[in-house]
Amino acid sequence: MASAESTGASPDGIPSGPAAETPLPVGNATGGAPADKPAARPPTPVVASLMLGMALVALDSTIVATAVPQIVGELGGFSVFSWLFSGYLLAVTVTLPVYGKLSDTFGRKPVLLFGIGLFLVGSLLCASAWNMAALIAFRIVQGLGGGALQGTIQTLAADLYPLRERPRIQARMSSVWATSAVAGPALGGLLASYAHWRWIFLINLPLAGLALWMVARHLTEPVRSPGRRGPVDWAGALAVFACGGLLLFALVQGGVAWPWLSAPSLGLLGASALLAVVVVRVERRAEEPILPGWVWRRRTIAAVNLAMGALGLLMVAPMVFMPTYAQSVLGLGPVGAGLVMSVMTLSWPVTAACSQHVYRRIGFRDTAAVGIALAAVILFSFTLLPYPARPWQPALIMLLLGGALGLFQLPLIVGVQSTVGWSERGTTTASVLFCRQVGQSVGAALLAAVANATIAARLADAPVPGLPEHLDDVAKALDRPELLPAAAAGYLREAVAAAVEHIFLGATAAAVAALLVLLLVAPRRFPVLPELREED
């Protein structure tokens, strides 16, 4: 085989320069099905329907968050309202592998139609909820549809676009998330204030209906031979759902509803471990497993999964704790705190779109390594901010962080999708998204424990009187700092600043772990497949 330099290809076999129109004849190094031939550019309605479907998922959490006070005021349930988000996230996460395998078995279109329809039904049910318990249950129904949307749309983006053009559609998807991060809170606030909180769910009905119609009418997939379809591993799907659901429930509730070392926490974690053993045994015996072993046996996919898990963990720092820092330490209002965080979403899609010019020269792995190395430096720089910082300083860090992570995430997604054929792409994409979601759940539990330990230690050694005695009272005290003595309020702000610094140190460690995974586990050259249409 000729060298990458002589063929005009990058280290991953991506054509560039004079040879850009000639695919590199790389064999199926991964052992999967042949890859696809570059399809004609999909019609505009198909692309619009994918972006509309992604917008449903992207808007969901941000638009709901701003209406929580109105929801709690009418339905009650303040002590459990966090499950409006945790329940949805749990349902999305545990169904991703199931939908990924189903899309590889039956095609993307039926799974996507089912997901949109279920999301629509869930939205209608949420709008009709009569109490908090019902609303949480219906949010889980929404999440069951959201899992199909999130994974299948990312897979279709790779199916419909050849390798050279995938960064374009992925950048569009990133722009949907960026727009939703900015527009969601504003739209949710307007609907809750001037209409009714139920409209934040009713607004999904026309959007989901339009997406459903556009996908049904315009999306066309190649017909696959029924002989290629193995039996659906429903036992594996149930085992994965039960194991993932129990683990995520333990992580979400641990340290909140009960202490980490309490009987409920240890019992749930132990049961999760036993179910994990059951999953392994069931999947080994299945003819077409939901979680096939090759996802972890292939170096490229395993490395990307681990790196994306680390990304989910580190993202907890800017997405969850930065708004708290901006309000409690910097004294900004909710809008200002949201702006400090959301500037990250402005630079992310820009560098994601430009990343193709980098990975065509140095390869997927090295581009992602550069991005996560920069992210580690930027995350660590947060700990060097003066106290008190000026608002533009953390905002600049968020802007730079978004740019670095755009350079990290997109090459990995495009790269790993390019190493498998159609019949494995849904499973591969779902495994990547699943690992990122699990990393986010683990990160939320782990970093929250770090924050609580830091604040608790500061309160125990406090040199000033008038501070809250319990961690549960810290949030209330920070919400009304004028009720505290000046010295106590200042000391509490410093304690929160120290806690967030420790969280960003933890995020830095996660970024370094992702870098080591890329350098030590991922192959320098991703085994990119030739884009030849699979003959069914």
Side-chain angles (χ1 to χ4, degrees):
M1 183 181 292
S3 67
E5 288 76 18
S6 63
T7 60
S10 78
D12 294 305
I14 309 164
S16 61
E21 301 305 319
T22 305
L24 186 68
V26 180
N28 192 344
T30 62
D36 303 321
K37 174 178 68 178
R41 181 171 297 179
T44 300
V46 173
V47 179
S49 66
L50 296 185
M51 295 180 69
L52 189 57
M54 188 62 77
L56 288 171
V57 179
L59 273 171
D60 186 79
S61 293
T62 55
I63 197 173
V64 172
T66 54
V68 164
Q70 288 78 15
I71 294 174
V72 172
E74 180 173 331
L75 300 182
F78 178 80
S79 61
V80 295
F81 84 85
S82 63
W83 273 96
L84 292 176
F85 309 98
S86 299
Y88 177 87
L89 177 63
L90 187 151
V92 169
T93 303
V94 298
T95 55
L96 276 169
V98 178
Y99 287 128
K101 184 61 181 178
L102 291 177
S103 75
D104 284 342
T105 304
F106 298 106
R108 326 295 188 211
K109 184 173 181 177
V111 175
L112 183 56
L113 290 173
F114 175 80
I116 297 173
L118 191 56
F119 191 90
L120 190 154
V121 171
S123 299
L124 182 60
L125 290 173
C126 286
S128 63
W130 54 90
N131 58 32
M132 184 61 72
L135 183 57
I136 291 172
F138 298 151
R139 284 281 290 165
I140 292 174
V141 174
Q142 256 193 325
L144 295 177
L149 284 168
Q150 192 166 329
T152 309
I153 289 173
Q154 289 281 9
T155 305
L156 274 167
D159 288 345
L160 298 175
Y161 281 80
L163 177 57
R164 284 179 54 84
E165 296 189 27
R166 281 174 199 161
R168 179 179 303 174
I169 184 62
Q170 291 289 356
R172 289 180 181 176
M173 296 299 175
S174 296
S175 69
V176 170
W177 282 95
T179 303
S180 300
V182 177
L187 181 58
L190 287 173
L191 290 175
S193 300
Y194 298 101
H196 194 276
W197 64 263
R198 296 182 190 275
W199 279 99
I200 67 175
F201 299 108
L202 291 174
I203 197 173
N204 290 331
L205 303 186
L207 298 178
L210 179 60
L212 198 65
W213 177 79
M214 293 175 71
V215 170
R217 180 177 176 83
H218 297 287
L219 178 60
T220 302
E221 288 189 284
V223 178
R224 306 182 73 233
S225 170
R228 297 289 301 278
R229 298 173 179 171
V232 177
D233 178 24
W234 294 115
L238 180 61
V240 169
F241 190 90
C243 178
L246 202 60
L247 175 61
L248 291 176
F249 181 76
L251 293 173
V252 169
Q253 293 294 90
V256 179
W258 46 69
W260 280 109
L261 297 180
S262 65
S265 187
L266 295 177
L268 286 170
L269 292 173
S272 301
L274 289 177
L275 282 173
V277 175
V278 172
V279 169
V280 172
R281 297 193 63 177
V282 170
E283 295 300 80
R284 281 182 175 176
R285 297 177 180 178
E287 182 178 340
E288 292 290 339
I290 292 293
L291 286 176
W294 54 260
V295 168
W296 293 105
R297 287 194 296 268
R298 299 180 192 173
R299 285 178 60 196
T300 305
I301 303 175
V304 171
N305 283 343
L306 292 173
M308 293 297 285
L311 173 64
L313 194 157
L314 72 86
M315 283 299 295
V316 173
M319 299 299 291
V320 177
F321 290 98
M322 178 55 74
T324 299
Y325 173 84
Q327 293 186 65
S328 301
V329 178
L330 303 184
L332 301 178
V335 175
L339 290 175
V340 168
M341 181 192 70
S342 64
V343 293
M344 179 176 64
T345 63
L346 301 179
S347 55
W348 192 314
V350 174
T351 54
C354 296
S355 65
Q356 61 176 314
H357 303 297
V358 182
Y359 67 64
R360 289 184 189 281
R361 286 175 168 77
I362 66 175
F364 292 121
R365 189 202 73 168
D366 290 349
T367 302
V370 169
I372 200 63
L374 291 173
V377 173
I378 294 165
L379 287 165
F380 181 76
S381 70
F382 179 86
T383 66
L384 305 178
L385 291 179
Y387 178 84
R390 297 185 177 182
W392 67 265
Q393 293 172 322
L396 177 61
I397 287 176
M398 291 299 97
L399 186 69
L400 296 175
L401 181 62
L405 294 179
L407 200 63
F408 167 72
Q409 178 178 265
L410 187 135
L412 291 184
I413 292 178
V414 173
V416 77
Q417 288 179 329
S418 303
T419 65
V420 293
W422 189 97
S423 62
E424 296 177 341
R425 192 171 290 144
T427 299
T428 300
T429 303
S431 73
V432 171
L433 298 176
F434 176 77
C435 287
R436 174 172 172 170
Q437 296 282 74
V438 171
Q440 186 175 344
S441 298
V442 172
L446 183 63
L447 295 181
V450 170
N452 289 339
T454 302
I455 295 176
R458 294 297 180 101
L459 292 178
D461 300 330
V464 296
L467 288 166
E469 296 182 1
H470 304 288
L471 280 174
D472 293 340
D473 299 325
V474 170
K476 297 177 183 177
L478 290 172
D479 191 44
R480 300 290 301 274
E482 67 276 5
L483 300 180
L484 296 176
Y491 183 83
L492 197 57
R493 289 193 187 95
E494 290 186 23
V496 172
V500 177
E501 284 185 9
H502 291 170
I503 287 165
F504 271 79
L505 280 176
T508 303
V512 171
L515 177 62
L516 292 176
V517 165
L518 291 178
L519 297 179
L520 300 179
V521 181
R524 185 174 186 277
R525 175 191 174 104
F526 279 24
V528 175
L529 301 184
E531 296 185 313
L532 301 174
R533 170 66 68 193
E534 180 181 5
E535 295 296 335
D536 292 313

